[in-house]
Amino acid sequence: MTTGRPDTARTHRRPRNRTVRVLLALVAVAAVLGVALVVVPMLRPAGPRPLFQMPVSCGETWQLGTYPGHDDYDVDLFPTEGEAWGRPVLASYAGTVTVAGINGSLGGRTPDNPDGPRGRGGGYWVKIDHGGKWETQYLHMLEPPLVEVGQKVAQGEQIGRLGSTGNSGAPHLHYEQRRGWDKVETHFDGEPSTVTTDDREYTVKRTSNNCPAAVS
Ligand SMILES: [Zn+2]
């Protein structure tokens, strides 16, 4: 027997189906927007390499080195003259501070007892975003960084003092340059440092040209 019921039921189902379709469409739009906002910037190519300078004072000669188990492209800096403790650590290039804190643990090392029990990781450290996917990192500093997250720094601005916090055997600055997710060979004053693989121990010497900009 034919009645009006199936039609009635269908007309009652339709608005619900439409609601589901609208919700699904909204979810799809949100997913596409998510991809556009999050993934697309990640895929964008890096900008040109900034003209990085050494993270130490103008005119000083420092030893740059690495050793097996360090990591490719990691650089450890030691001064060739004078006391290492407390030496100024300078921004390699202008940028915005994205990390200023403790990596790993300090161990027993404090500014009053900088040679105390060894900690883990990078100790007091700073990360600077230079734009165009370029960033630099500065590790094992003596005391809390002199800058804070979100702060804009100029090239050559002091961000901390050299120390030995974290997993460090002697006072030095561990330094990295990164493009996107990748560590790359450090460049200073437009020249590659030649500190690349960590398959052996070796050092090079370079003189810092992280000098105040000439005023004309
Ligand atoms: Zn290191």
Short mmCIF file of all heavy atoms in Angstrom, two decimals, residues 9 32 37 42 45 50 74 77 81 99 102 115 123 133 143-144 149 154 180 182 208-209 212:
data_model
loop_
_atom_site.label_atom_id
_atom_site.label_comp_id
_atom_site.label_asym_id
_atom_site.label_seq_id
_atom_site.Cartn_x
_atom_site.Cartn_y
_atom_site.Cartn_z
N ALA A 9 9.36 11.05 5.53
CA ALA A 9 10.63 10.73 6.17
C ALA A 9 11.79 11.37 5.41
O ALA A 9 12.72 11.90 6.01
CB ALA A 9 10.82 9.21 6.22
N VAL A 32 42.04 23.04 4.01
CA VAL A 32 42.77 23.71 2.92
C VAL A 32 43.46 24.97 3.47
O VAL A 32 44.63 25.23 3.17
CB VAL A 32 41.82 24.07 1.76
CG1 VAL A 32 42.50 25.02 0.78
CG2 VAL A 32 41.36 22.79 1.05
N LEU A 37 48.22 27.95 5.29
CA LEU A 37 48.85 28.81 6.29
C LEU A 37 50.07 28.17 6.94
O LEU A 37 51.00 28.87 7.33
CB LEU A 37 47.84 29.18 7.38
CG LEU A 37 46.70 30.09 6.93
CD1 LEU A 37 45.68 30.26 8.05
CD2 LEU A 37 47.25 31.45 6.51
N MET A 42 56.31 26.64 4.99
CA MET A 42 57.41 25.72 5.26
C MET A 42 58.11 25.32 3.96
O MET A 42 59.29 25.01 3.96
CB MET A 42 56.89 24.46 5.96
CG MET A 42 56.57 24.69 7.44
SD MET A 42 55.55 23.38 8.15
CE MET A 42 56.61 21.97 7.91
N PRO A 45 61.12 28.67 -0.40
CA PRO A 45 62.58 28.58 -0.33
C PRO A 45 63.16 29.64 0.61
O PRO A 45 62.54 30.67 0.86
CB PRO A 45 63.02 28.83 -1.78
CG PRO A 45 61.88 29.54 -2.42
CD PRO A 45 60.63 29.08 -1.73
N PRO A 50 72.39 35.86 4.79
CA PRO A 50 72.77 37.17 5.34
C PRO A 50 74.30 37.28 5.43
O PRO A 50 74.99 36.26 5.49
CB PRO A 50 72.16 37.16 6.74
CG PRO A 50 71.10 36.10 6.71
CD PRO A 50 71.59 35.07 5.75
N ASP A 74 78.91 22.21 13.16
CA ASP A 74 79.00 22.87 14.46
C ASP A 74 80.38 23.48 14.62
O ASP A 74 81.39 22.88 14.22
CB ASP A 74 78.81 21.86 15.59
CG ASP A 74 77.35 21.44 15.77
OD1 ASP A 74 76.50 21.93 15.01
OD2 ASP A 74 77.09 20.63 16.68
N LEU A 77 84.22 27.97 19.32
CA LEU A 77 85.13 29.12 19.23
C LEU A 77 85.88 29.31 20.54
O LEU A 77 85.27 29.34 21.61
CB LEU A 77 84.34 30.38 18.92
CG LEU A 77 83.76 30.49 17.52
CD1 LEU A 77 82.26 30.40 17.55
CD2 LEU A 77 84.17 31.80 16.88
N GLU A 81 93.84 34.71 22.24
CA GLU A 81 94.54 35.53 23.23
C GLU A 81 93.58 35.91 24.35
O GLU A 81 92.40 36.16 24.09
CB GLU A 81 95.04 36.84 22.59
CG GLU A 81 96.30 36.70 21.77
CD GLU A 81 96.67 38.00 21.07
OE1 GLU A 81 96.44 39.07 21.67
OE2 GLU A 81 97.16 37.94 19.94
N VAL A 99 64.86 32.46 21.13
CA VAL A 99 65.12 31.69 22.34
C VAL A 99 66.15 32.44 23.15
O VAL A 99 67.15 32.92 22.61
CB VAL A 99 65.67 30.28 22.02
CG1 VAL A 99 66.06 29.57 23.31
CG2 VAL A 99 64.67 29.43 21.25
N ILE A 102 67.64 28.31 28.88
CA ILE A 102 68.51 27.19 29.23
C ILE A 102 68.17 26.00 28.34
O ILE A 102 67.01 25.62 28.21
CB ILE A 102 68.32 26.81 30.72
CG1 ILE A 102 68.75 27.97 31.63
CG2 ILE A 102 69.12 25.54 31.05
CD1 ILE A 102 68.34 27.78 33.08
N ASP A 115 83.00 26.77 36.98
CA ASP A 115 83.68 25.51 36.70
C ASP A 115 83.09 24.37 37.52
O ASP A 115 83.73 23.32 37.67
CB ASP A 115 85.18 25.66 37.02
CG ASP A 115 86.03 25.30 35.81
OD1 ASP A 115 85.48 24.71 34.87
OD2 ASP A 115 87.23 25.62 35.84
N GLY A 123 73.27 24.53 27.87
CA GLY A 123 73.33 25.53 28.94
C GLY A 123 72.60 26.81 28.54
O GLY A 123 71.62 26.78 27.78
N LYS A 133 64.28 32.45 6.70
CA LYS A 133 64.55 31.09 7.20
C LYS A 133 65.96 30.91 7.75
O LYS A 133 66.39 29.79 7.99
CB LYS A 133 64.31 30.04 6.12
CG LYS A 133 62.86 29.90 5.72
CD LYS A 133 62.67 28.66 4.91
CE LYS A 133 61.22 28.24 4.90
NZ LYS A 133 61.05 26.93 4.28
N GLU A 143 76.09 33.06 31.90
CA GLU A 143 75.00 33.54 32.76
C GLU A 143 73.76 33.76 31.89
O GLU A 143 73.85 33.65 30.66
CB GLU A 143 75.43 34.85 33.43
CG GLU A 143 75.81 35.91 32.39
CD GLU A 143 76.47 37.15 32.97
OE1 GLU A 143 76.86 37.11 34.15
OE2 GLU A 143 76.59 38.14 32.22
N PRO A 144 72.61 34.07 32.51
CA PRO A 144 71.41 34.28 31.68
C PRO A 144 71.70 35.28 30.57
O PRO A 144 72.40 36.27 30.79
CB PRO A 144 70.39 34.83 32.69
CG PRO A 144 70.83 34.26 34.00
CD PRO A 144 72.33 34.22 33.94
N VAL A 149 63.35 36.98 24.63
CA VAL A 149 62.59 36.53 23.47
C VAL A 149 61.75 37.68 22.93
O VAL A 149 61.10 38.40 23.69
CB VAL A 149 61.70 35.32 23.85
CG1 VAL A 149 60.74 34.99 22.71
CG2 VAL A 149 62.56 34.12 24.19
N ALA A 154 70.68 44.20 16.87
CA ALA A 154 71.46 44.67 15.72
C ALA A 154 72.66 43.76 15.54
O ALA A 154 73.07 43.07 16.48
CB ALA A 154 71.91 46.10 15.97
N GLY A 180 66.52 27.09 7.29
CA GLY A 180 65.38 26.19 7.46
C GLY A 180 65.68 25.22 8.57
O GLY A 180 66.14 25.60 9.64
N ASP A 182 67.93 22.91 8.40
CA ASP A 182 69.26 22.32 8.23
C ASP A 182 70.38 23.21 8.76
O ASP A 182 70.41 24.41 8.51
CB ASP A 182 69.53 22.09 6.73
CG ASP A 182 68.47 21.21 6.11
OD1 ASP A 182 68.07 20.23 6.77
OD2 ASP A 182 68.04 21.50 4.98
N SER A 208 87.69 38.40 13.51
CA SER A 208 86.32 38.92 13.45
C SER A 208 86.26 40.27 12.75
O SER A 208 87.03 41.18 13.05
CB SER A 208 85.77 39.07 14.87
OG SER A 208 84.52 39.73 14.82
N ASN A 209 85.31 40.36 11.85
CA ASN A 209 85.01 41.65 11.22
C ASN A 209 83.62 42.13 11.66
O ASN A 209 82.93 42.82 10.91
CB ASN A 209 85.09 41.52 9.70
CG ASN A 209 85.18 42.87 9.00
OD1 ASN A 209 85.62 43.85 9.61
ND2 ASN A 209 84.74 42.94 7.76
N PRO A 212 81.61 47.84 14.34
CA PRO A 212 80.56 48.85 14.20
C PRO A 212 80.52 49.39 12.78
O PRO A 212 81.58 49.61 12.17
CB PRO A 212 80.98 49.95 15.19
CG PRO A 212 81.87 49.26 16.18
CD PRO A 212 82.57 48.17 15.39
#
